[in-house]
Structure formats: structure tokens, C-alpha cells
Amino acid sequence: MTKKRFVGWVSLSVFFIMAACGGGKYSDAIKLNTKFADAMEEYIGNLEKADNAGAVAGAINDFATQMETLGPQMRKLSEKYPELKNKDQDHYPEALRECQKRSEELGLRMAGSFMKTMKYMNDSKVRAAQERLQKAMGSMMPS
């Protein structure tokens, strides 16, 4: 995964985590987005604990499995709430601003775990898992 794709993926992830914390108009998305944030947190934790290529590949594959299900559902949410794609935090609904702290923390942790993954990118199982995850994450992108 290139650095540009990684940054894009983290940005999209932050969007979904923030949407998860809203209520009212966005309450129908809370359950799905909570699953996404929890899956992301589990993935990061698994990568942080990984100490070899097999463990890294396993963590990536576990997250890819979750994203193969959640990704298309997340895409539907982004299509339903296009107003949340605005990167200007001043224009976010007040209810969603409360989630900013969690999303920032996960973003920082994700950046650190990505660096750990890079140590093992010469391993064929890690590369295959990364390609699978990249495809699964692509299913989140609006068409």
C-alpha cells in the first residue's frame, strides 16, 4: 500500500468513526460505524502485538475479512451522508465533533502500525494479505 493510499484510507476511516458517534439524523449509522471502529481498533492492536511476518499477515487478513463485509455497507453510508465528506471540521454536525478525539487517536495508532507492517512487506504472505485488504478497503469508496 502506498503512502498516498494509506493516507486516503486513514482519512476515510476517520470519517466513518466520526459518523459512528453521532446521533439523531445519523443514528442509523451508529451500529455499523461502531463495528468498523472496533474492528479497526482490534486490527491496530493485533499489529502492535505482532512480532513476525506470520502474525502481521494474520492481523491484516483478519481485518480484511471484516472489511469484506463492512466495506460495502460503509460505502452505502457515505452515499447516504455525503455532507460528512467535508474535511472542514467547523462544518461537521456538533454531535459528530465529540468523536474527533477517538478518530485522531486511532489515526495516530494506525500510522505507527503501518510502519511496523512495512518491515515485513518483503514477505509474500504479508504482501498478499495487504493486497486483499486494499481490495476490501476499496469496497468502501463511493462509486
Side-chain angles (χ1 to χ4, degrees):
M1 180 182 296
T2 66
K3 186 174 182 179
K4 185 176 179 180
R5 283 185 182 235
F6 173 74
V7 170
W9 182 72
V10 169
S11 297
L12 189 61
S13 300
V14 167
F15 157 75
F16 289 119
I17 293 166
M18 291 182 72
C21 299
K25 176 180 176 182
Y26 306 103
S27 62
D28 62 330
I30 292 173
K31 184 176 181 181
L32 179 61
N33 282 295
T34 299
K35 286 181 184 179
F36 173 77
D38 291 346
M40 189 171 156
E41 197 161 33
E42 178 183 337
Y43 168 59
I44 294 166
N46 288 341
L47 283 178
E48 289 172 345
K49 290 185 274 185
D51 59 358
N52 60 62
V56 169
I60 296 169
N61 276 315
D62 288 347
F63 188 54
T65 297
Q66 293 179 57
M67 291 313 304
E68 288 165 350
T69 300
L70 295 174
Q73 297 172 28
M74 301 305 283
R75 181 186 68 245
K76 289 178 184 174
L77 282 178
S78 70
E79 291 168 353
K80 184 175 181 178
Y81 302 118
E83 69 274 15
L84 297 179
K85 293 179 190 174
N86 184 346
K87 294 181 182 182
D88 181 0
Q89 297 299 314
D90 293 333
H91 291 96
Y92 269 75
E94 186 66 35
L96 300 181
R97 291 182 191 169
E98 298 171 16
C99 290
Q100 191 171 7
K101 184 176 180 181
R102 182 177 187 201
S103 64
E104 288 174 358
E105 289 171 0
L106 284 173
L108 290 173
R109 285 181 64 200
M110 178 63 78
S113 65
F114 180 70
M115 296 309 295
K116 187 174 207 175
T117 301
M118 293 305 295
K119 287 191 329 188
Y120 299 104
M121 285 307 287
N122 288 329
D123 184 271
S124 62
K125 290 179 184 175
V126 172
R127 281 195 315 270
Q130 192 66 34
E131 288 173 17
R132 179 179 172 211
L133 177 59
Q134 193 169 345
K135 182 178 178 185
M137 295 305 291
S139 70
M140 290 173 50
M141 299 297 192
S143 36

